[in-house]
Amino acid sequence: MTDYRDETTTTTTTTGPAQPNVTVVERRGGGGGLIIGLLVLIAVCVGAYFLFVQSNSEVRKNNAVAGAAQDVGDAAKDVGDAAKKAVD
């Protein structure tokens, strides 16, 4: 918010001309920008947290699928070995 104040005092001296009027402009901040900045920072932190949690969930799911695939591969190898022994 900007306040305009016009000081209209004119001083006349005996040795010179009248002094000019002086306009003083005072600027005051309401603090709204600070509040908006804090809200944006909080929103970014919350979004980063949810992305981090989702990423960990995806990693756990991928590890579980890889473990299951490894178990299936081991079982297939065992079946193949058993079939070889049955032929011999």
Side-chain angles (χ1 to χ4, degrees), residues 18-70:
Q19 300 293 322
N21 293 338
V22 177
T23 301
V24 178
V25 178
E26 296 179 7
R27 302 195 80 180
R28 297 183 207 164
L34 180 64
I35 292 172
I36 291 172
L38 287 174
L39 289 175
V40 168
L41 179 64
I42 290 170
V44 167
C45 289
V46 168
Y49 172 76
F50 281 115
L51 285 176
F52 181 71
V53 168
Q54 169 115 13
S55 175
N56 281 342
S57 175
E58 289 291 323
V59 168
R60 278 187 254 132
K61 182 178 81 172
N62 290 343
N63 288 341
V65 169
Q70 182 65 37

Side-chain angles (χ1 to χ4, degrees), residues 10-20:
T10 304
T11 307
T12 305
T13 63
T14 57
T15 59
Q19 300 293 322

